[in-house]
Amino acid sequence: MRRKWPISEERYFGIGVFRPKTAENIGSLWRTAYVLGADYIFLIDAKYKKQSSDVLKVWSKIPLFQFDSFDSFRSSLPYSCRLVGIEQDKTSISIKEYEHHCRAIYLLGSEDNGLPKEIKEQCHELIELPGDSSLNVAVAGSLVVFDRVNKLG
Ligand SMILES: C[S@@+](CC[C@H](N)C(=O)[O-])C[C@H]1O[C@@H](n2cnc3c(N)ncnc32)[C@H](O)[C@@H]1O
């Protein structure tokens, strides 16, 4: 079947965090994600608390999904969509050379422990930002979204 729409319409992305600790970080991440075009946001093993850093009340504009566990999140992945872990790891692809997929879900780890090994292993791929020390989780997520917008338009 011939496509009757531009390929740029075959794309979306979501971004979320596994076991976030700090509500202010989450509010900041939601705000950036929404402004830069995220289609949905999510939390795994955490409940959203209303947060003053989420000045736009992003949860009222795009869906905010809350999953009880990584397994329930993983089993709900949309068809033909990549799960991309954002994490410093020896197997991670540098963001500089990374080509974003049209349909992607970006997953960040908690402030204290990052993404557990068993979750990293279930991501289709891991990507990392430069630097020897880890960044704040909201900053890391925002930079990845910014990179996606720059590369995919
Ligand atoms: C504060 S960091 C976690 C640090 C944790 N203590 C550790 O050593 O794994 C919180 C989250 O931010 C993201 N993050 C921070 N810096 C990053 C980087 N340079 N590249 C990719 N992700 C990063 C990851 O998702 C990480 O799980």
Side-chain angles (χ1 to χ4, degrees):
M1 193 179 84
R2 289 185 77 186
R3 188 188 293 114
K4 296 190 178 120
W5 51 86
I7 193 141
S8 59
E9 287 183 11
E10 294 188 356
R11 80 171 61 142
Y12 61 82
F13 76 96
I15 187 163
V17 189
F18 175 76
R19 287 190 190 146
K21 292 283 175 305
T22 314
E24 289 87 347
N25 283 339
I26 297 310
S28 301
L29 177 62
W30 292 166
R31 181 178 176 182
T32 309
Y34 172 70
V35 171
L36 296 187
D39 297 283
Y40 72 89
I41 51 182
F42 63 90
L43 294 169
I44 304 174
D45 199 5
K47 290 286 173 231
Y48 181 71
K49 297 186 191 86
K50 287 188 184 158
Q51 184 41 243
S52 58
S53 56
D54 180 8
V55 290
L56 301 176
K57 294 207 296 180
V58 167
W59 49 267
S60 68
K61 297 178 174 138
I62 55 175
L64 164 59
F65 295 104
Q66 303 190 87
F67 298 94
D68 291 340
S69 66
F70 177 76
D71 287 345
S72 64
F73 161 76
R74 188 74 174 76
S75 62
S76 307
L77 273 189
Y79 173 75
S80 187
C81 180
R82 303 283 286 189
L83 174 57
V84 182
I86 303 175
E87 194 59 85
Q88 290 178 300
D89 189 89
K90 61 179 185 312
T91 66
S92 295
I93 304 165
S94 164
I95 191 91
K96 286 180 216 159
E97 61 219 35
Y98 183 66
E99 290 179 27
H100 294 265
H101 297 278
C102 294
R103 294 170 296 283
I105 297 178
Y106 300 97
L107 174 62
L108 295 138
S110 72
E111 289 89 331
D112 47 6
N113 296 316
L115 288 176
K117 182 170 177 287
E118 59 274 17
I119 290 186
K120 287 193 278 189
E121 287 170 352
Q122 292 186 67
C123 293
H124 291 112
E125 63 226 13
L126 298 174
I127 59 173
E128 68 182 4
L129 295 150
D132 293 331
S133 307
S134 64
L135 299 158
N136 168 280
V137 63
V139 172
S142 300
L143 288 172
V144 168
V145 172
F146 182 63
D147 187 74
R148 178 184 172 92
V149 170
N150 275 332
K151 287 177 179 166
L152 292 189

